[in-house]
Amino acid sequence: RPSAPATNLTTTISRDFANNAPEIVKFMKNVSVPMEDINRVIAEMSDKKTPPRTAARAYIAGNRKSMEQWMSPEAGQKLYGAR
């Protein structure tokens, strides 16, 4: 598959959401997914008809080291459990 050029993804949230969920806003500011990973997940969703939620869960399960860079130690503990 040809690779896509790098792209910035902009996330917009309401002021109310930001005020009510600052931990999620902080998390979203830290998220960084390599374009190669995005392309791979999209291709799997397309080729294998994988539902988005299933693809997201598989990505999270298979990319612990990357995921933990975006979140607090407490959030990583909740998501992955004890090391």
Side-chain angles (χ1 to χ4, degrees), residues 45-75:
M45 289 170 49
S46 176
D47 296 345
K48 296 179 182 178
K49 307 296 186 230
T50 303
R53 185 176 300 246
T54 302
R57 287 182 173 159
Y59 182 83
I60 290 167
N63 292 280
R64 179 176 180 162
K65 187 176 178 181
S66 175
M67 294 291 297
E68 286 181 333
Q69 291 177 20
W70 311 335
M71 61 184 73
S72 69
E74 296 82 16

Side-chain angles (χ1 to χ4, degrees), residues 3-17:
S3 63
T7 303
N8 290 325
L9 174 65
T10 302
T11 305
T12 304
I13 60 170
S14 71
R15 184 172 289 126
D16 286 340
F17 182 88

